[in-house]
Amino acid sequence: FNINAGIVRNLVAGCAEACPKACILVISNPVNSTVPIAAEILKQKGVYDPRKLFGVTTLDVCRARTFVAEAKGFDPLKTTVPVVGGHAGTTILPLFSQDKAGAKIPAEQIPDLDAKVQNAGTVVVEKKAGKGSATLSMAFAGARLARVVLAGLSGVETTECAYVESTITDLPYFASKVTFGPEGVKTVHPLGDLSAHEKTRLDAMMPTLKEEIQAGLDYAAVNEFAA
């Protein structure tokens, strides 16, 4: 935690000095905590704009749509499963019910598929025997969100899930569908209709996400970057 937190802190402080209006995509884990750290550093520098700071959760979306497409024989490029909440463990909440193919998966199969999305990163690490992680797929995910942000900046509004400052729940940061426009975040979309499983999972994971957000805020509070 401290290593990545320190890296994010230093890089964001540099951005605040050199390019204070830049869009910043945070991909360093734990994203649930590093995005709040980045926000606090930008606030300390007096240049925070919530429209221009985003946590990359795109890999969760890619995994969810791929697993659903494999299960139902669909094209993953035509499958869209929103993944909300956060970007670690149980805070990763795929909304299978909001995808045409995902909605057809029997309810009794959803918990296992849900867990598969949550644990996919761990599976990769185990397969590599601790010698690496999901490096290439994470690079793909980062590039995908970067293209979405660039499209928005160029005037082509585009929607993708991202972890941003949010008011759609009681927590200050939350991943959900976000529409990007010329100024960065244009619209943070509400969660929409949830299945019974998704409602239960949402309630269960909120305390964990709250703790991880607070961990980032606590780190930033004792590691201030003087203006």
Side-chain angles (χ1 to χ4, degrees):
F1 178 93
N2 285 335
I3 292 174
N4 280 5
I7 291 171
V8 169
R9 169 182 173 269
N10 293 341
L11 288 175
V12 171
C15 290
E17 294 287 349
C19 47
K21 295 184 179 180
C23 290
I24 300 175
L25 286 72
V26 179
I27 201 168
S28 298
N29 285 322
V31 168
N32 293 353
S33 304
T34 52
V35 169
I37 290 170
E40 293 304 302
I41 297 303
L42 293 169
K43 289 175 184 177
Q44 292 169 19
K45 292 286 190 176
V47 295
Y48 178 60
D49 183 344
R51 299 173 299 172
K52 298 183 182 298
L53 177 65
F54 344 104
V56 181
T57 62
T58 320
L59 183 51
D60 301 325
V61 176
C62 294
R63 286 169 171 161
R65 74 177 188 177
T66 299
F67 296 155
V68 166
E70 288 176 347
K72 302 304 295 183
F74 277 61
D75 182 349
L77 296 180
K78 296 180 181 178
T79 304
T80 305
V81 180
V83 181
V84 303
H87 184 57
T90 59
T91 70
I92 299 170
L93 175 54
L95 304 183
F96 298 113
S97 68
Q98 294 186 12
D99 174 72
K100 184 181 296 185
K104 295 179 180 179
I105 296 174
E108 63 272 16
Q109 296 178 17
I110 291 296
D112 286 344
L113 194 60
D114 185 358
K116 187 176 181 180
V117 175
Q118 294 174 46
N119 299 324
T122 302
V123 171
V124 173
V125 172
E126 291 174 348
K127 290 293 184 181
K128 290 187 173 183
K131 296 180 180 179
S133 59
T135 311
L136 295 178
S137 55
M138 181 57 77
F140 171 80
R144 176 184 166 111
L145 186 60
R147 291 183 66 181
V148 168
V149 173
L150 289 170
L153 294 176
S154 69
V156 181
E157 293 185 4
T158 311
T159 301
E160 181 62 274
C161 290
Y163 182 69
V164 298
E165 181 177 302
S166 175
T167 59
I168 66 171
T169 71
D170 293 334
L171 300 181
Y173 298 94
F174 202 83
S176 68
K177 286 184 177 180
V178 176
T179 296
F180 295 90
E183 299 298 325
V185 173
K186 180 179 180 181
T187 306
V188 178
H189 297 277
L191 295 176
D193 294 333
L194 305 180
S195 69
H197 170 80
E198 292 159 359
K199 289 177 181 176
T200 299
R201 276 271 287 110
L202 177 65
D203 291 341
M205 68 88 158
M206 291 290 276
T208 300
L209 182 54
K210 182 178 181 178
E211 289 178 3
E212 293 176 358
I213 292 170
Q214 191 60 49
L217 297 175
D218 291 344
Y219 177 90
V222 297
N223 291 273
E224 290 190 7
F225 214 116

